[in-house]
Amino acid sequence: MSRSNGQARGQARLSEILALAPVIPVITIADAAQALPLARALVAGGLRAIEITLRTDAAVEAARAIIKDVPDAIVGIGTVLTPQDLERAQKFGAAFAVSPGVTQDLLSAARETDLPFAPGVQTASDLIACVTGGFELVKFFPAIPAGGLGALNALSGPFPQVRYCPTGGIGETNVREWLVHPKVAAVGGSWIAPASDIAAGAWDKIEQRARAAAALRPASQR
Ligand code: 3PG
């Protein structure tokens, strides 16, 4: 296995990005016309790092528009499933990429680039693949269904060097519990900008939620 990799730089940069704010809004956007007001609301609320998921036809156009016209936004691409997704994200200038899972193909492709990449883990086997491949900053997904903080605590035993961006089932009511965990770099979640608020153009509501989230602090950064 080739261990020399651009991800030493990529993971260091990912750590910087996750340190910008305690929450990464996970966005599923149906209409690219909503991208700019949405990104401006998030940035105005203090959340600069944004994950646009590759789950809709509008995702790539939306991400490109934000990269071009909202310079303070740091646009990441989520739902990266294949090396091709990773390549696409890099080509159009994404600042980081996130996967819900981990495969050897994805890890190998990511090592060829310095695009900050967070593979997704749920099990000890996933973590063995990540750690032996040089990835110690990962997404924990789906955080609540996969066992919540109990699972994160248990996994932290054999993998003390790993830090996480837990995502999946985290929202206003439980985000603080996650942010006090010393291994949590930041959390991700769709609650800041739910699809219904994006569709309704409820930018003020989204900005308010972003502002409240930006005021939180992970224990790892206190
Ligand atoms: C993701 O892709 O990270 C999740 O869909 C976000 O999970 P949530 O909708 O439960 O916040």
Side-chain angles (χ1 to χ4, degrees):
M1 192 197 315
S2 152
R3 292 293 305 280
S4 69
N5 74 79
Q7 280 302 310
R9 269 198 311 281
Q11 289 257 297
R13 175 66 188 140
L14 183 64
S15 182
E16 289 171 5
I17 292 170
L18 294 184
L20 290 173
V23 178
I24 308 281
V26 176
I27 306 297
T28 299
I29 193 157
D31 178 356
Q34 291 155 331
L36 295 182
L38 170 62
R40 287 184 182 124
L42 293 168
V43 169
L47 300 184
R48 295 178 55 208
I50 303 170
E51 177 186 330
I52 309 278
T53 61
L54 286 178
R55 287 178 211 172
T56 59
D57 293 341
V60 170
E61 192 186 338
R64 280 187 205 272
I66 298 169
I67 291 167
K68 178 167 168 282
D69 288 332
V70 189
D72 286 341
I74 296 174
V75 179
I77 294 301
T79 322
V80 165
L81 305 182
T82 64
Q84 291 73 29
D85 291 340
L86 205 57
E87 199 185 323
R88 195 152 61 125
Q90 195 179 29
K91 273 199 180 135
F92 69 73
F96 63 101
V98 181
S99 178
V102 54
T103 66
Q104 283 302 335
D105 279 356
L106 265 179
L107 295 183
S108 300
R111 277 197 298 269
E112 299 297 313
T113 81
D114 61 2
L115 177 67
F117 176 60
V121 304
Q122 191 181 130
T123 66
S125 300
D126 295 340
L127 278 160
I128 290 171
C130 288
V131 167
T132 57
F135 294 79
E136 294 182 346
L137 185 49
V138 300
K139 170 167 169 159
F140 177 44
F141 178 80
I144 298 291
L149 280 161
L152 197 73
N153 280 331
L155 291 168
S156 295
F159 304 101
Q161 72 276 50
V162 175
R163 291 189 305 135
Y164 301 85
C165 180
T167 308
I170 300 178
E172 251 155 38
T173 56
N174 60 359
V175 60
R176 287 172 184 77
E177 297 163 22
W178 287 90
L179 290 176
V180 295
H181 198 288
K183 303 293 181 186
V184 169
V187 307
S190 62
W191 87 93
I192 306 285
S196 53
D197 281 350
I198 299 175
W203 313 128
D204 286 354
K205 253 166 118 175
I206 290 171
E207 182 179 331
Q208 271 169 32
R209 274 195 222 101
R211 200 175 300 284
L216 302 167
R217 271 286 150 253
S220 57
Q221 286 167 38
R222 279 182 200 135

